[in-house]
Amino acid sequence: MKKITLLLSAMLMAVMSFADTVVTFTPADFEGKGTTSTGSPVEVTKDGVTVSCDKGYGNSYAFRCYTDGVVTISATENIYSLEFTFDTYNDRYYNGGLEEVYAVGANSWNTKLTSQARFTSIKVTLAAGAPDTPDTPDTPDTPDTPDTPPVDPGQTTIEIPAEAQGWNIPAGAIDVLQARAICAGLASGATSGTKYYVMGYVKKLHKNHESGVTGYGNATFYMENVNGANSEDDFLAFQVYGLNGEKISDPNVVAVGDFVVVYGELTNYMGTYETVGKGAAYIWKSTNPNLSGTNSGNPPSGEVTGAGTLENPYTAADILSLNNTKTGEYWVKAYIVGQVNGVSMSSNSEFNAPFSGSTNEDGSVNAYNTNILIAMSADVADVTQCVPVQLPTGALRSGLNLAQNPDMDSKEVLLYGSLEAYFGAAGIKGTSYAKVGDKEFGVKPGEKQEEPVAKVVTIAEFKNAPESPEVYYELTGTIGGSINTTYGNFDLTDETGTVYVYGLTKEFIAVGTTQNDKSFASLGLKEGDKITLRGFRGSYQGKIEVMGAYFVKLVSSGNGDNTGNGNGNENDSTSTTTPEGAIVFDADVENEGIGTDSNNATSYTITKNGVTITVSSGILGTYNNENHYRIYKNQTLTATSTVGNIASIEFTCTANGDAKYGPGGFKASVGNYGHSGGAVGTWTGDASEVVFTASVNQVRASQIVVVIADSETNN
């Protein structure tokens, strides 16, 4: 980096007092020469000055010299200086790695480009009588830099003003003294290689601040740790851009006394400790009311500042930048700013109280909602800057949902969950732990939640108990109704009444760590069995349910056939035991967040073990915390097999019979298809391809089971 960039801009007027000639090249001088995209030799001579590039192309907008091209400027007289202006396109500044101004002092100058350059002006100043190399004046307003002892990053003691308290300054941010210590350890001209958030108060503006803003869109100013101290232990924010790396147009966006955080690499420039220039660093946030931008303090797109660890969690901006390219469980720290009350983030987001409870498909309204929106700062109200977070049943939902907890709005939250698509966006699902202030929800990773103490009650007493995920009850009753053998959904009856069990697992699972481990089948339970279980009182669409249930013991064995009669409860279905060797398409497993509603429905294909399911138009996603394959009316689902003919297909739907979303919505192209009034539709036949058309109603299936003829050979 050459400080000459700013210095020569100021001294060119002095140069002209003894300069003989200024020759200026514009795009018109090069138009039509060279080869687009690849470049070829271009040479133009004007008033005794020749400009050439061996990989060039000229049009009416700019003279392009492509990467690795050699630019040569020669003249019959002494070249005093060169001054370049470059084109910006799609927010990219095409300077080829060059400075704007060079002192030459010779008849020829050349350089090899490190990237593409697009010249909108090349100004060559000739000075026949001038010294061969003009003296470069000392940089003004730069105090001597005393030796600074090393400072341990992360131990900053800078006082952060009240107006900056809610900024969520990233972990690892350093102050001016720490920045100086890092620079002091660098050789002259070396850069840190690591980007830092540097915070401090504006001590004074550099003499070239205003000309830098008006000419190049960057600001230059000195920072210090104590406001108004006028300390010699300062740090130079050199040629920094504004928010989100955008160019600055107003010099007043920086003023003495501002508290500011800049972000970028640091350098030791001949003893001056500063940011790397030319817009390589930018203002992350500032208290100056004149500073505006589009990101409210977000890093530029693609910039990831966290590591997803407890010590350095991801930010909301990190999640957006990653954009579902990284999956798995990570720590995230952000601010709660709203919720989604519907199926679309763009049209159903709420940022201001009162917050609504979620609406069920039957029109009923819950007292809670099942998600929140998080962002980089508490004042964000732009959904494009937000990350949706799923709140699973239990302490996380009851403690964080904004409908019941409006005081959580604008609070900083530390989350642990799975990065994956949610509402068709970069989101967080399977959230197992959260901390707001000194309040903790769920189970912290690495810690095991002890099995809760359960109160023995009758079903009638259970139904009269208050709803709470933190109080467990022990119930004994007989299994009946429609049994979902995958999730363990069924009716439980004793002498006092009947209650619906929404998911029974083999062992206790802490609420929030997982929804259901699908261990019910391993218990071998059937209709008529009398069992003891434990769980907490919850509800769905106004119906009381046992949630978080786990098996305790088998009291007595019954004689039921486990076929049930189908009553349409939540994810309930009439289901037979899955045949051995069957190929199972499970929406809970395959959910990829394909689409969110009819406005962004799409075709999609899923292949497993030689069987392919293709939906012409629909979604594969979540609605009201329910995962399903959605096939819109008059659209098709096609099942094909390359491993043998299909013998049967079973659809487990979210509604019964001929009702909307039920199995009766389908018509099959071949074979025999029907249902018995429950939630299961069954096709039988012998074909390599079967087309199901949702000609009657939209169909929603949580599970599709395909059996291949002689499937025992395909295990």
Side-chain angles (χ1 to χ4, degrees):
M1 184 188 77
K2 298 181 183 292
K3 200 60 75 62
I4 240 172
T5 302
L6 288 178
L7 297 176
L8 283 183
S9 296
M11 65 188 261
L12 283 179
M13 292 301 294
V15 171
M16 293 302 296
S17 66
F18 54 82
D20 293 340
T21 308
V22 176
V23 182
T24 302
F25 293 80
T26 67
D29 296 317
F30 303 93
E31 188 172 2
K33 301 180 183 297
T35 306
T36 185
S37 300
T38 60
S40 59
V42 174
E43 182 176 292
V44 174
T45 299
K46 185 176 180 179
D47 298 331
V49 178
T50 300
V51 175
S52 68
C53 176
D54 63 345
K55 298 176 65 176
Y57 168 70
N59 60 27
S60 60
Y61 301 102
F63 172 43
R64 301 183 185 182
C65 292
Y66 293 101
T67 304
D68 294 328
V70 177
V71 178
T72 303
I73 301 175
S74 60
T76 56
E77 300 180 37
N78 190 67
I79 301 174
Y80 183 79
S81 65
L82 304 173
E83 187 172 1
F84 303 119
T85 57
F86 304 99
D87 187 32
T88 299
Y89 182 73
N90 283 341
D91 297 324
R92 180 178 175 184
Y93 187 52
Y94 287 90
N95 71 338
L98 302 178
E99 304 289 334
E100 278 98 349
V101 182
Y102 288 90
V104 180
N107 289 69
S108 180
W109 175 94
N110 68 82
T111 187
K112 186 175 182 179
L113 303 179
T114 59
S115 60
Q116 183 183 151
R118 297 186 181 183
F119 301 94
T120 56
S121 173
I122 301 174
K123 184 184 292 186
V124 183
T125 300
L126 304 176
D132 285 344
T133 305
D135 294 332
T136 303
D138 295 333
T139 304
D141 300 327
T142 303
D144 293 334
T145 304
D147 293 334
T148 304
V151 180
D152 182 19
Q155 301 300 315
T156 180
T157 58
I158 192 171
E159 182 179 352
I160 299 176
E163 57 265 47
Q165 291 293 331
W167 285 3
N168 192 28
I169 298 173
I174 61 177
D175 61 26
V176 167
L177 292 180
Q178 293 170 314
R180 287 177 59 85
I182 292 169
C183 292
L186 300 173
S188 180
T191 60
S192 62
T194 300
K195 295 181 178 180
Y196 293 92
Y197 290 88
V198 183
M199 45 188 179
Y201 294 87
V202 177
K203 169 187 170 182
K204 65 178 179 180
L205 305 181
H206 192 278
K207 66 174 293 185
N208 291 338
H209 166 71
E210 186 167 351
S211 63
V213 171
T214 57
Y216 305 107
N218 56 56
T220 302
F221 52 91
Y222 295 93
M223 299 167 61
E224 61 183 354
N225 265 9
V226 180
N227 190 24
N230 199 32
S231 172
E232 291 187 352
D233 294 333
D234 56 17
F235 179 79
L236 182 64
F238 180 62
Q239 297 178 338
V240 296
Y241 283 158
L243 299 181
N244 205 27
E246 299 173 355
K247 287 189 175 184
I248 296 170
S249 58
D250 180 8
N252 295 317
V253 300
V254 180
V256 174
D258 293 343
F259 181 77
V260 63
V261 180
V262 299
Y263 179 72
E265 290 188 51
L266 316 182
T267 186
N268 178 351
Y269 180 77
M270 301 176 64
T272 300
Y273 303 152
E274 60 187 46
T275 62
V276 175
K278 310 307 291 177
Y282 65 92
I283 299 173
W284 180 74
K285 248 187 176 183
S286 171
T287 56
N288 192 306
N290 296 315
L291 184 65
S292 61
T294 60
N295 74 322
S296 299
N298 288 346
S301 179
E303 190 77 63
V304 177
T305 61
T309 63
L310 178 60
E311 297 74 20
N312 186 19
Y314 284 134
T315 67
D318 290 340
I319 306 303
L320 295 174
S321 295
L322 291 168
N323 194 28
N324 295 321
T325 59
K326 193 168 192 176
T327 58
E329 295 183 319
Y330 295 96
W331 289 94
V332 180
K333 193 174 185 180
Y335 286 85
I336 300 173
V337 298
Q339 67 173 25
V340 182
N341 186 34
V343 298
S344 171
M345 281 184 64
S346 59
S347 57
N348 301 127
S349 293
E350 297 177 346
F351 293 98
N352 298 299
F355 294 97
S356 308
S358 59
T359 303
N360 303 308
E361 293 190 8
D362 64 359
S364 60
V365 179
N366 297 312
Y368 56 84
N369 213 310
T370 60
N371 66 83
I372 55 174
L373 295 172
I374 60 173
M376 280 290 289
S377 60
D379 58 351
V380 171
D382 181 353
V383 70
T384 64
Q385 297 175 30
C386 297
V387 175
V389 179
Q390 182 189 57
L391 300 177
T393 301
L396 283 156
R397 180 180 296 178
S398 63
L400 296 182
N401 84 83
L402 293 177
Q404 294 177 307
N405 307 280
D407 59 310
M408 287 293 170
D409 186 29
S410 301
K411 295 291 181 63
E412 187 178 46
V413 60
L414 177 67
L415 298 167
Y416 186 79
S418 176
L419 305 189
E420 53 187 285
Y422 189 38
F423 287 103
I428 303 172
K429 298 176 71 175
T431 318
S432 59
Y433 174 82
K435 184 176 183 180
V436 178
D438 58 357
K439 296 181 178 179
E440 296 183 87
F441 309 89
V443 181
K444 193 173 184 178
E447 297 181 0
K448 182 179 180 180
Q449 182 173 314
E450 297 297 324
E451 182 177 332
V453 176
K455 180 180 180 182
V456 179
V457 295
T458 65
I459 290 175
E461 292 170 331
F462 176 85
K463 295 171 77 172
N464 288 324
E467 185 170 322
S468 172
E470 300 174 356
V471 181
Y472 276 71
Y473 299 92
E474 182 174 293
L475 302 169
T476 298
T478 301
I479 296 174
S482 175
I483 303 172
N484 184 310
T485 58
T486 301
Y487 297 97
N489 304 338
F490 53 86
D491 288 336
L492 188 72
T493 302
D494 70 3
E495 64 277 5
T496 68
T498 299
V499 68
Y500 187 68
V501 179
Y502 180 51
L504 181 72
T505 58
K506 186 176 182 179
E507 298 176 343
F508 168 71
I509 299 175
V511 176
T513 57
T514 183
Q515 293 292 307
N516 193 307
D517 65 359
K518 301 181 182 180
S519 58
F520 176 79
S522 67
L523 295 171
L525 300 175
K526 60 186 182 299
E527 184 179 5
D529 287 347
K530 188 175 184 179
I531 65 170
T532 298
L533 57 78
R534 293 169 184 161
F536 62 86
R537 186 190 182 282
S539 64
Y540 181 80
Q541 296 190 2
K543 184 176 74 174
I544 298 172
E545 297 180 345
V546 183
M547 293 184 170
Y550 62 99
F551 179 73
V552 177
K553 64 180 178 180
L554 175 66
V555 178
S556 62
S557 180
N559 296 312
D561 60 7
N562 202 28
T563 58
N565 56 15
N567 61 13
N569 289 320
E570 203 171 336
N571 286 323
D572 187 27
S573 64
T574 304
S575 177
T576 60
T577 303
T578 302
E580 187 175 358
I583 300 166
V584 180
F585 294 81
D586 192 319
D588 280 334
V589 176
E590 311 297 340
N591 188 355
E592 300 177 357
I594 301 172
T596 56
D597 56 30
S598 58
N599 294 323
N600 57 15
T602 184
S603 62
Y604 59 89
T605 298
I606 300 172
T607 299
K608 295 180 70 174
N609 299 335
V611 174
T612 299
I613 299 292
T614 301
V615 174
S616 63
S617 181
I619 71 171
L620 170 52
T622 304
Y623 186 85
N624 277 345
N625 215 32
E626 171 194 85
N627 298 321
H628 60 262
Y629 305 89
R630 186 181 304 185
I631 304 92
Y632 286 107
K633 188 176 180 180
N634 298 322
Q635 300 299 317
T636 61
L637 181 149
T638 303
T640 59
S641 170
T642 60
V643 292
N645 282 358
I646 302 171
S648 69
I649 304 176
E650 181 183 274
F651 297 92
T652 301
C653 298
T654 64
N656 289 338
D658 295 329
K660 189 176 182 180
Y661 312 143
F666 272 152
K667 299 295 183 183
S669 61
V670 296
N672 300 306
Y673 178 75
H675 62 88
S676 59
V680 173
T682 303
W683 177 91
T684 57
D686 185 22
S688 61
E689 178 179 287
V690 188
V691 180
F692 297 89
T693 303
S695 57
V696 180
N697 280 310
Q698 178 187 141
V699 177
R700 298 183 179 181
S702 59
Q703 189 178 83
I704 305 169
V705 179
V706 180
V707 177
I708 305 300
D710 299 322
S711 62
E712 65 272 11
T713 64
N714 296 307
N715 291 341

